[in-house]
Amino acid sequence: MSARVPRVLAIAGTDPTGGAGQHADLKSIAAMGGYGMSAVTALVAQNTEGVRSVHVPPADFLTAQLDAVSDDVEIDAVKIGMLGSVPVIEAVAGWLGRHRPPVVVLDPVMVATSGGRLLEPDAEDALRAVLGLADLVTPNLQELAVLAGDALASSWEEALAQGHRVAREHGTLVLVKGGHLAGDRTPDALVGPESPEPLVAFDGARVPTDNSHGTGCSLSSALATLQVRHGDWARSLRIARGWLRGALERSAELEVGHGSGPVHHFHHVQEALETWGTVPERFSDELWEVSAPVRREIEELEFVRRLGDGGLEPERFLAYLDQDLQYLDGYSRALAALAARAPAEEARSFFAAGAVSCTETEAQLHRARLRHAGLEGAGAPAGEVTRRYTTFLLAATAAEPYPVGLAAVLPCYWVYADVGRHLQELARRSDAAAHPYADWLATYADEGFQEATRTARRLLDQAARDAGPAVRERMREVFLEACALERDFFAAPAAASRLPGVVAIEYS
Ligand SMILES: Nc1ncnc2c1ncn2[C@@H]1O[C@H](COP(=O)(O)OP(=O)(O)O)[C@@H](O)[C@H]1O
Ligand SMILES: Cc1ncc(COP(=O)(O)OP(=O)(O)O)c(N)n1
């Protein structure tokens, strides 16, 4: 199973009421955990009661949309819906010839259930001719009959036989769908070219609802997304069917339109949304808000601006590194003290690992860089700010309640990560041909560091939930004090003291 978010492109028509076409596709892709994109084949004036008119933009313009996406984005899957006309089919086939993504699902849309034609009659042959470009074709019963060149199947067995014929003729998988069967069952089956026996078949009781607008669109785009994740059509279909069933069952909650309404694509996250409304705001959000002025001051510091645009003198950078190395020594001890006092295993392991990483990973990086510049680490005495900051951290983590100690160490994760993002942005905007600190700035963006910041923040929120008002107030004070010390630390390399071996570098 792939853990990456599937990037799925829907090539389809529109539905301004949001229930079918690419609107349904985008919702379904997102509901299945994918990132949805869409290229418009046709603009359809329709609602839950029917199709009023169709406008098909020039096929060249569709090609331009498709190229714009594929020139920029790696596409994991494509879902093709309404194509409408021969030139559009040819444009999509031409593009697929140039950029075939790993998964292609084709829903051969011909007629909306509400009645309107969505494929010109003379385009049926052209549509048949491109079926072989897809990995999976998902016709409803009427579309299946047209593709098979047969009358509408009057039984499920007949539908399966038609599905097998289409699969064999075009060398693709066919999903035979029972949504339009008479009766109270809605089976679906995957049929391949080799055997008339379905590869997998599912059955279920029909959901008693008229809200089935866009079920075919939704199912096919969900399948495209899930297939990227699982690489197994049977598994993807089982998951998609379960989800779609819930979407049909909860469709009445939407109250959209007077006809056959849309399904509830996000029924499965509804509960989470309801809970979100009642979850108290995170304490860390409050801390972040009150620290905004200090963070702005940090961004405006000359040292930060010059580090970002690459114009910082190397000596000042080395002096900063030297002090940071000494700071790391104190920070590592503070994290170890916090680990010792952490009430639960997760926090204990997290801060203990942080203490080790300070000495084993980060300090080594600093030392290597200083060595590269001909300096051994910790050349200058600890500056006044370095001493003040580390003393403060050690006192907070050793002598104050655990939540307060946590509030003291958090800015070094969080403010540093935030400054890092700002520095990266400055570096992107700078016109320094070769940014002298690019590799250093890249370490700020390291995903491991960002993840550690998120964990530290979550642990603080946990600790704040269990703390009384007095401790929370103290957490606020200490957090702000640590932010101010972060600011002073970034400001210090502009001031005075001497790093041995470096020309007149001063550090306060
Ligand atoms: N009332 C219903 N209850 C349960 N499943 C349904 C219902 N209507 C459609 N489905 C399911 O929705 C999916 C789309 O099927 P179908 O309606 O046949 O296609 P289309 O929307 O393309 O006309 C299929 O998986 C089908 O089994
Ligand atoms: C723009 C557009 N594309 C496809 C359809 C048909 O949707 P489908 O999912 O096949 O479901 P029904 O609405 O026909 O049941 C559409 N209406 N519009």
Side-chain angles (χ1 to χ4, degrees), residues 107 113 138-141 143 177-180 186-188 205-209 212 214-217 219 241 244-245 248:
D107 188 19
T113 309
T138 63
N140 64 22
L141 282 190
E143 291 154 354
K177 304 185 292 192
H180 294 258
T186 52
D188 289 324
R206 180 174 295 277
V207 176
T209 177
S212 59
T215 45
C217 303
L219 179 68
R241 264 182 65 96
L244 187 58
R245 181 169 191 87
L248 282 156

PDB file of all heavy atoms in Angstrom, residues 107 113 138-141 143 177-180 186-188 205-209 212 214-217 219 241 244-245 248, ligand 1:
ATOM      1  N   ASP A 107     -15.240   6.094 -17.166  1.00  0.00           N
ATOM      2  CA  ASP A 107     -16.685   5.941 -16.957  1.00  0.00           C
ATOM      3  C   ASP A 107     -17.332   6.424 -18.260  1.00  0.00           C
ATOM      4  O   ASP A 107     -17.348   7.632 -18.524  1.00  0.00           O
ATOM      5  CB  ASP A 107     -17.110   6.817 -15.762  1.00  0.00           C
ATOM      6  CG  ASP A 107     -18.554   6.559 -15.357  1.00  0.00           C
ATOM      7  OD1 ASP A 107     -19.096   5.495 -15.728  1.00  0.00           O
ATOM      8  OD2 ASP A 107     -19.143   7.417 -14.672  1.00  0.00           O
ATOM      9  N   THR A 113     -28.953   9.864 -15.677  1.00  0.00           N
ATOM     10  CA  THR A 113     -30.131   9.101 -15.216  1.00  0.00           C
ATOM     11  C   THR A 113     -31.375   9.980 -15.315  1.00  0.00           C
ATOM     12  O   THR A 113     -32.481   9.497 -15.552  1.00  0.00           O
ATOM     13  CB  THR A 113     -29.911   8.647 -13.762  1.00  0.00           C
ATOM     14  OG1 THR A 113     -28.644   8.008 -13.698  1.00  0.00           O
ATOM     15  CG2 THR A 113     -30.964   7.666 -13.307  1.00  0.00           C
ATOM     16  N   THR A 138     -16.249   1.560 -16.471  1.00  0.00           N
ATOM     17  CA  THR A 138     -17.323   1.409 -15.464  1.00  0.00           C
ATOM     18  C   THR A 138     -18.698   1.819 -16.013  1.00  0.00           C
ATOM     19  O   THR A 138     -19.306   2.774 -15.513  1.00  0.00           O
ATOM     20  CB  THR A 138     -16.991   2.275 -14.226  1.00  0.00           C
ATOM     21  OG1 THR A 138     -16.962   3.660 -14.648  1.00  0.00           O
ATOM     22  CG2 THR A 138     -15.663   1.929 -13.602  1.00  0.00           C
ATOM     23  N   PRO A 139     -19.215   1.133 -16.998  1.00  0.00           N
ATOM     24  CA  PRO A 139     -20.514   1.538 -17.578  1.00  0.00           C
ATOM     25  C   PRO A 139     -21.683   1.161 -16.672  1.00  0.00           C
ATOM     26  O   PRO A 139     -21.602   0.163 -15.948  1.00  0.00           O
ATOM     27  CB  PRO A 139     -20.571   0.713 -18.870  1.00  0.00           C
ATOM     28  CG  PRO A 139     -19.761  -0.510 -18.567  1.00  0.00           C
ATOM     29  CD  PRO A 139     -18.675  -0.083 -17.614  1.00  0.00           C
ATOM     30  N   ASN A 140     -22.772   1.940 -16.739  1.00  0.00           N
ATOM     31  CA  ASN A 140     -23.993   1.440 -16.100  1.00  0.00           C
ATOM     32  C   ASN A 140     -24.664   0.490 -17.097  1.00  0.00           C
ATOM     33  O   ASN A 140     -24.141   0.254 -18.197  1.00  0.00           O
ATOM     34  CB  ASN A 140     -24.891   2.585 -15.624  1.00  0.00           C
ATOM     35  CG  ASN A 140     -25.422   3.442 -16.769  1.00  0.00           C
ATOM     36  OD1 ASN A 140     -25.477   2.988 -17.924  1.00  0.00           O
ATOM     37  ND2 ASN A 140     -25.793   4.676 -16.467  1.00  0.00           N
ATOM     38  N   LEU A 141     -25.795  -0.058 -16.728  1.00  0.00           N
ATOM     39  CA  LEU A 141     -26.388  -1.112 -17.570  1.00  0.00           C
ATOM     40  C   LEU A 141     -26.692  -0.629 -18.993  1.00  0.00           C
ATOM     41  O   LEU A 141     -26.445  -1.354 -19.968  1.00  0.00           O
ATOM     42  CB  LEU A 141     -27.678  -1.633 -16.926  1.00  0.00           C
ATOM     43  CG  LEU A 141     -27.521  -2.614 -15.763  1.00  0.00           C
ATOM     44  CD1 LEU A 141     -28.874  -3.229 -15.411  1.00  0.00           C
ATOM     45  CD2 LEU A 141     -26.523  -3.724 -16.087  1.00  0.00           C
ATOM     46  N   GLU A 143     -25.262   1.899 -20.630  1.00  0.00           N
ATOM     47  CA  GLU A 143     -23.999   2.151 -21.349  1.00  0.00           C
ATOM     48  C   GLU A 143     -23.339   0.825 -21.751  1.00  0.00           C
ATOM     49  O   GLU A 143     -22.770   0.703 -22.841  1.00  0.00           O
ATOM     50  CB  GLU A 143     -23.065   2.983 -20.452  1.00  0.00           C
ATOM     51  CG  GLU A 143     -23.573   4.412 -20.252  1.00  0.00           C
ATOM     52  CD  GLU A 143     -23.104   5.098 -18.960  1.00  0.00           C
ATOM     53  OE1 GLU A 143     -22.450   4.424 -18.122  1.00  0.00           O
ATOM     54  OE2 GLU A 143     -23.412   6.286 -18.785  1.00  0.00           O
ATOM     55  N   LYS A 177     -22.169  -2.857 -13.261  1.00  0.00           N
ATOM     56  CA  LYS A 177     -22.854  -2.253 -12.100  1.00  0.00           C
ATOM     57  C   LYS A 177     -24.348  -2.546 -12.133  1.00  0.00           C
ATOM     58  O   LYS A 177     -24.984  -2.453 -13.189  1.00  0.00           O
ATOM     59  CB  LYS A 177     -22.658  -0.733 -12.118  1.00  0.00           C
ATOM     60  CG  LYS A 177     -21.201  -0.296 -12.140  1.00  0.00           C
ATOM     61  CD  LYS A 177     -21.058   1.211 -12.027  1.00  0.00           C
ATOM     62  CE  LYS A 177     -21.579   1.944 -13.234  1.00  0.00           C
ATOM     63  NZ  LYS A 177     -21.198   3.377 -13.247  1.00  0.00           N
ATOM     64  N   GLY A 178     -24.862  -2.834 -10.962  1.00  0.00           N
ATOM     65  CA  GLY A 178     -26.275  -3.208 -10.894  1.00  0.00           C
ATOM     66  C   GLY A 178     -27.196  -2.112 -10.393  1.00  0.00           C
ATOM     67  O   GLY A 178     -28.356  -2.385 -10.063  1.00  0.00           O
ATOM     68  N   GLY A 179     -26.723  -0.870 -10.384  1.00  0.00           N
ATOM     69  CA  GLY A 179     -27.558   0.212  -9.850  1.00  0.00           C
ATOM     70  C   GLY A 179     -28.880   0.350 -10.582  1.00  0.00           C
ATOM     71  O   GLY A 179     -29.890   0.724  -9.989  1.00  0.00           O
ATOM     72  N   HIS A 180     -28.882   0.037 -11.883  1.00  0.00           N
ATOM     73  CA  HIS A 180     -30.109   0.215 -12.674  1.00  0.00           C
ATOM     74  C   HIS A 180     -30.884  -1.084 -12.864  1.00  0.00           C
ATOM     75  O   HIS A 180     -31.831  -1.123 -13.641  1.00  0.00           O
ATOM     76  CB  HIS A 180     -29.765   0.827 -14.050  1.00  0.00           C
ATOM     77  CG  HIS A 180     -29.235   2.221 -13.947  1.00  0.00           C
ATOM     78  ND1 HIS A 180     -29.997   3.345 -14.208  1.00  0.00           N
ATOM     79  CD2 HIS A 180     -28.019   2.689 -13.567  1.00  0.00           C
ATOM     80  CE1 HIS A 180     -29.273   4.431 -14.003  1.00  0.00           C
ATOM     81  NE2 HIS A 180     -28.049   4.062 -13.616  1.00  0.00           N
ATOM     82  N   THR A 186     -28.339  -4.530  -5.354  1.00  0.00           N
ATOM     83  CA  THR A 186     -27.449  -3.746  -6.224  1.00  0.00           C
ATOM     84  C   THR A 186     -26.078  -4.424  -6.259  1.00  0.00           C
ATOM     85  O   THR A 186     -25.138  -4.005  -5.574  1.00  0.00           O
ATOM     86  CB  THR A 186     -27.289  -2.287  -5.714  1.00  0.00           C
ATOM     87  OG1 THR A 186     -26.906  -2.332  -4.351  1.00  0.00           O
ATOM     88  CG2 THR A 186     -28.553  -1.498  -5.879  1.00  0.00           C
ATOM     89  N   PRO A 187     -25.953  -5.474  -7.094  1.00  0.00           N
ATOM     90  CA  PRO A 187     -24.658  -6.143  -7.195  1.00  0.00           C
ATOM     91  C   PRO A 187     -23.697  -5.346  -8.085  1.00  0.00           C
ATOM     92  O   PRO A 187     -24.130  -4.542  -8.904  1.00  0.00           O
ATOM     93  CB  PRO A 187     -25.017  -7.472  -7.862  1.00  0.00           C
ATOM     94  CG  PRO A 187     -26.252  -7.175  -8.656  1.00  0.00           C
ATOM     95  CD  PRO A 187     -26.976  -6.063  -7.956  1.00  0.00           C
ATOM     96  N   ASP A 188     -22.434  -5.560  -7.895  1.00  0.00           N
ATOM     97  CA  ASP A 188     -21.380  -5.028  -8.784  1.00  0.00           C
ATOM     98  C   ASP A 188     -20.380  -6.154  -8.973  1.00  0.00           C
ATOM     99  O   ASP A 188     -20.123  -6.926  -8.030  1.00  0.00           O
ATOM    100  CB  ASP A 188     -20.618  -3.862  -8.133  1.00  0.00           C
ATOM    101  CG  ASP A 188     -21.450  -2.596  -8.032  1.00  0.00           C
ATOM    102  OD1 ASP A 188     -22.240  -2.317  -8.938  1.00  0.00           O
ATOM    103  OD2 ASP A 188     -21.288  -1.881  -7.016  1.00  0.00           O
ATOM    104  N   ALA A 205     -28.107  -5.006  -0.404  1.00  0.00           N
ATOM    105  CA  ALA A 205     -29.489  -4.538  -0.531  1.00  0.00           C
ATOM    106  C   ALA A 205     -29.489  -3.107  -1.065  1.00  0.00           C
ATOM    107  O   ALA A 205     -28.616  -2.302  -0.691  1.00  0.00           O
ATOM    108  CB  ALA A 205     -30.162  -4.590   0.823  1.00  0.00           C
ATOM    109  N   ARG A 206     -30.418  -2.816  -1.947  1.00  0.00           N
ATOM    110  CA  ARG A 206     -30.544  -1.454  -2.490  1.00  0.00           C
ATOM    111  C   ARG A 206     -30.875  -0.480  -1.355  1.00  0.00           C
ATOM    112  O   ARG A 206     -31.727  -0.776  -0.502  1.00  0.00           O
ATOM    113  CB  ARG A 206     -31.670  -1.460  -3.529  1.00  0.00           C
ATOM    114  CG  ARG A 206     -31.940  -0.119  -4.187  1.00  0.00           C
ATOM    115  CD  ARG A 206     -32.968  -0.273  -5.298  1.00  0.00           C
ATOM    116  NE  ARG A 206     -32.436  -1.115  -6.372  1.00  0.00           N
ATOM    117  CZ  ARG A 206     -31.639  -0.679  -7.347  1.00  0.00           C
ATOM    118  NH1 ARG A 206     -31.300   0.600  -7.399  1.00  0.00           N
ATOM    119  NH2 ARG A 206     -31.190  -1.494  -8.275  1.00  0.00           N
ATOM    120  N   VAL A 207     -30.200   0.665  -1.312  1.00  0.00           N
ATOM    121  CA  VAL A 207     -30.535   1.688  -0.315  1.00  0.00           C
ATOM    122  C   VAL A 207     -31.820   2.365  -0.796  1.00  0.00           C
ATOM    123  O   VAL A 207     -31.881   2.826  -1.948  1.00  0.00           O
ATOM    124  CB  VAL A 207     -29.388   2.720  -0.183  1.00  0.00           C
ATOM    125  CG1 VAL A 207     -29.769   3.829   0.783  1.00  0.00           C
ATOM    126  CG2 VAL A 207     -28.099   2.036   0.250  1.00  0.00           C
ATOM    127  N   PRO A 208     -32.834   2.422   0.062  1.00  0.00           N
ATOM    128  CA  PRO A 208     -34.096   3.012  -0.385  1.00  0.00           C
ATOM    129  C   PRO A 208     -34.012   4.541  -0.459  1.00  0.00           C
ATOM    130  O   PRO A 208     -34.335   5.242   0.504  1.00  0.00           O
ATOM    131  CB  PRO A 208     -35.096   2.562   0.694  1.00  0.00           C
ATOM    132  CG  PRO A 208     -34.261   2.315   1.900  1.00  0.00           C
ATOM    133  CD  PRO A 208     -32.880   1.961   1.456  1.00  0.00           C
ATOM    134  N   THR A 209     -33.538   5.047  -1.583  1.00  0.00           N
ATOM    135  CA  THR A 209     -33.411   6.503  -1.760  1.00  0.00           C
ATOM    136  C   THR A 209     -33.511   6.853  -3.239  1.00  0.00           C
ATOM    137  O   THR A 209     -33.171   6.023  -4.094  1.00  0.00           O
ATOM    138  CB  THR A 209     -32.057   7.006  -1.211  1.00  0.00           C
ATOM    139  OG1 THR A 209     -31.953   8.408  -1.465  1.00  0.00           O
ATOM    140  CG2 THR A 209     -30.876   6.324  -1.863  1.00  0.00           C
ATOM    141  N   SER A 212     -29.579   9.352  -6.108  1.00  0.00           N
ATOM    142  CA  SER A 212     -28.479   8.581  -6.691  1.00  0.00           C
ATOM    143  C   SER A 212     -27.786   9.372  -7.795  1.00  0.00           C
ATOM    144  O   SER A 212     -27.057   8.813  -8.604  1.00  0.00           O
ATOM    145  CB  SER A 212     -29.006   7.261  -7.236  1.00  0.00           C
ATOM    146  OG  SER A 212     -29.987   7.535  -8.215  1.00  0.00           O
ATOM    147  N   GLY A 214     -25.155  11.109  -9.667  1.00  0.00           N
ATOM    148  CA  GLY A 214     -23.695  11.127  -9.593  1.00  0.00           C
ATOM    149  C   GLY A 214     -23.064   9.910  -8.937  1.00  0.00           C
ATOM    150  O   GLY A 214     -21.854   9.936  -8.658  1.00  0.00           O
ATOM    151  N   THR A 215     -23.820   8.839  -8.736  1.00  0.00           N
ATOM    152  CA  THR A 215     -23.206   7.660  -8.083  1.00  0.00           C
ATOM    153  C   THR A 215     -22.105   7.049  -8.960  1.00  0.00           C
ATOM    154  O   THR A 215     -21.068   6.621  -8.461  1.00  0.00           O
ATOM    155  CB  THR A 215     -24.245   6.555  -7.765  1.00  0.00           C
ATOM    156  OG1 THR A 215     -25.072   6.393  -8.908  1.00  0.00           O
ATOM    157  CG2 THR A 215     -25.080   6.888  -6.560  1.00  0.00           C
ATOM    158  N   GLY A 216     -22.367   7.028 -10.287  1.00  0.00           N
ATOM    159  CA  GLY A 216     -21.376   6.430 -11.199  1.00  0.00           C
ATOM    160  C   GLY A 216     -20.083   7.236 -11.205  1.00  0.00           C
ATOM    161  O   GLY A 216     -18.980   6.681 -11.140  1.00  0.00           O
ATOM    162  N   CYS A 217     -20.226   8.577 -11.276  1.00  0.00           N
ATOM    163  CA  CYS A 217     -19.036   9.452 -11.259  1.00  0.00           C
ATOM    164  C   CYS A 217     -18.252   9.221  -9.963  1.00  0.00           C
ATOM    165  O   CYS A 217     -17.024   9.073  -9.967  1.00  0.00           O
ATOM    166  CB  CYS A 217     -19.442  10.924 -11.311  1.00  0.00           C
ATOM    167  SG  CYS A 217     -20.449  11.371 -12.733  1.00  0.00           S
ATOM    168  N   LEU A 219     -18.301   6.716  -7.819  1.00  0.00           N
ATOM    169  CA  LEU A 219     -17.683   5.398  -7.659  1.00  0.00           C
ATOM    170  C   LEU A 219     -16.401   5.301  -8.493  1.00  0.00           C
ATOM    171  O   LEU A 219     -15.357   4.832  -8.003  1.00  0.00           O
ATOM    172  CB  LEU A 219     -18.674   4.303  -8.087  1.00  0.00           C
ATOM    173  CG  LEU A 219     -18.148   2.881  -7.982  1.00  0.00           C
ATOM    174  CD1 LEU A 219     -17.944   2.478  -6.526  1.00  0.00           C
ATOM    175  CD2 LEU A 219     -19.099   1.887  -8.658  1.00  0.00           C
ATOM    176  N   ARG A 241     -17.333   0.644  -2.454  1.00  0.00           N
ATOM    177  CA  ARG A 241     -18.752   0.299  -2.301  1.00  0.00           C
ATOM    178  C   ARG A 241     -19.254   0.605  -0.889  1.00  0.00           C
ATOM    179  O   ARG A 241     -20.348   1.136  -0.709  1.00  0.00           O
ATOM    180  CB  ARG A 241     -18.962  -1.200  -2.597  1.00  0.00           C
ATOM    181  CG  ARG A 241     -19.397  -1.515  -4.016  1.00  0.00           C
ATOM    182  CD  ARG A 241     -19.609  -3.018  -4.173  1.00  0.00           C
ATOM    183  NE  ARG A 241     -20.715  -3.510  -3.361  1.00  0.00           N
ATOM    184  CZ  ARG A 241     -21.960  -3.691  -3.799  1.00  0.00           C
ATOM    185  NH1 ARG A 241     -22.258  -3.425  -5.061  1.00  0.00           N
ATOM    186  NH2 ARG A 241     -22.893  -4.153  -3.000  1.00  0.00           N
ATOM    187  N   LEU A 244     -19.632   4.350  -0.631  1.00  0.00           N
ATOM    188  CA  LEU A 244     -20.749   4.868  -1.427  1.00  0.00           C
ATOM    189  C   LEU A 244     -22.090   4.498  -0.790  1.00  0.00           C
ATOM    190  O   LEU A 244     -23.042   5.282  -0.820  1.00  0.00           O
ATOM    191  CB  LEU A 244     -20.655   4.315  -2.864  1.00  0.00           C
ATOM    192  CG  LEU A 244     -21.646   4.894  -3.877  1.00  0.00           C
ATOM    193  CD1 LEU A 244     -21.510   6.408  -3.981  1.00  0.00           C
ATOM    194  CD2 LEU A 244     -21.434   4.262  -5.251  1.00  0.00           C
ATOM    195  N   ARG A 245     -22.130   3.330  -0.200  1.00  0.00           N
ATOM    196  CA  ARG A 245     -23.358   2.908   0.483  1.00  0.00           C
ATOM    197  C   ARG A 245     -23.690   3.923   1.598  1.00  0.00           C
ATOM    198  O   ARG A 245     -24.808   4.408   1.697  1.00  0.00           O
ATOM    199  CB  ARG A 245     -23.160   1.500   1.048  1.00  0.00           C
ATOM    200  CG  ARG A 245     -24.332   0.978   1.739  1.00  0.00           C
ATOM    201  CD  ARG A 245     -24.314  -0.479   2.094  1.00  0.00           C
ATOM    202  NE  ARG A 245     -25.666  -0.775   2.500  1.00  0.00           N
ATOM    203  CZ  ARG A 245     -26.637  -1.123   1.670  1.00  0.00           C
ATOM    204  NH1 ARG A 245     -26.380  -1.301   0.389  1.00  0.00           N
ATOM    205  NH2 ARG A 245     -27.866  -1.301   2.094  1.00  0.00           N
ATOM    206  N   LEU A 248     -24.982   7.098   0.128  1.00  0.00           N
ATOM    207  CA  LEU A 248     -26.392   7.004  -0.291  1.00  0.00           C
ATOM    208  C   LEU A 248     -27.302   7.054   0.934  1.00  0.00           C
ATOM    209  O   LEU A 248     -28.298   7.780   0.958  1.00  0.00           O
ATOM    210  CB  LEU A 248     -26.622   5.698  -1.060  1.00  0.00           C
ATOM    211  CG  LEU A 248     -26.150   5.675  -2.522  1.00  0.00           C
ATOM    212  CD1 LEU A 248     -25.873   4.250  -2.988  1.00  0.00           C
ATOM    213  CD2 LEU A 248     -27.168   6.336  -3.438  1.00  0.00           C
TER     214      LEU A 248
HETATM  215  N1  LIG B   1     -29.968   2.648  -4.347  1.00  0.00           N
HETATM  216  C1  LIG B   1     -28.750   2.121  -4.325  1.00  0.00           C
HETATM  217  N2  LIG B   1     -28.330   1.406  -3.270  1.00  0.00           N
HETATM  218  C2  LIG B   1     -27.118   0.876  -3.198  1.00  0.00           C
HETATM  219  N3  LIG B   1     -26.210   1.035  -4.181  1.00  0.00           N
HETATM  220  C3  LIG B   1     -26.555   1.737  -5.272  1.00  0.00           C
HETATM  221  C4  LIG B   1     -27.834   2.310  -5.409  1.00  0.00           C
HETATM  222  N4  LIG B   1     -27.878   2.967  -6.600  1.00  0.00           N
HETATM  223  C5  LIG B   1     -26.670   2.810  -7.170  1.00  0.00           C
HETATM  224  N5  LIG B   1     -25.870   2.065  -6.385  1.00  0.00           N
HETATM  225  C6  LIG B   1     -24.479   1.734  -6.626  1.00  0.00           C
HETATM  226  O1  LIG B   1     -23.898   2.909  -7.166  1.00  0.00           O
HETATM  227  C7  LIG B   1     -22.893   2.598  -8.093  1.00  0.00           C
HETATM  228  C8  LIG B   1     -23.224   3.301  -9.418  1.00  0.00           C
HETATM  229  O2  LIG B   1     -24.074   2.480 -10.126  1.00  0.00           O
HETATM  230  P1  LIG B   1     -25.109   2.878 -11.222  1.00  0.00           P
HETATM  231  O3  LIG B   1     -26.221   3.633 -10.614  1.00  0.00           O
HETATM  232  O4  LIG B   1     -25.451   1.598 -11.890  1.00  0.00           O
HETATM  233  O5  LIG B   1     -24.261   3.801 -12.189  1.00  0.00           O
HETATM  234  P2  LIG B   1     -24.504   5.240 -12.854  1.00  0.00           P
HETATM  235  O6  LIG B   1     -24.557   6.211 -11.744  1.00  0.00           O
HETATM  236  O7  LIG B   1     -23.311   5.356 -13.718  1.00  0.00           O
HETATM  237  O8  LIG B   1     -25.787   5.201 -13.607  1.00  0.00           O
HETATM  238  C9  LIG B   1     -22.878   1.084  -8.160  1.00  0.00           C
HETATM  239  O9  LIG B   1     -21.903   0.592  -7.257  1.00  0.00           O
HETATM  240  C10 LIG B   1     -24.243   0.694  -7.684  1.00  0.00           C
HETATM  241  O10 LIG B   1     -24.247  -0.606  -7.155  1.00  0.00           O
END
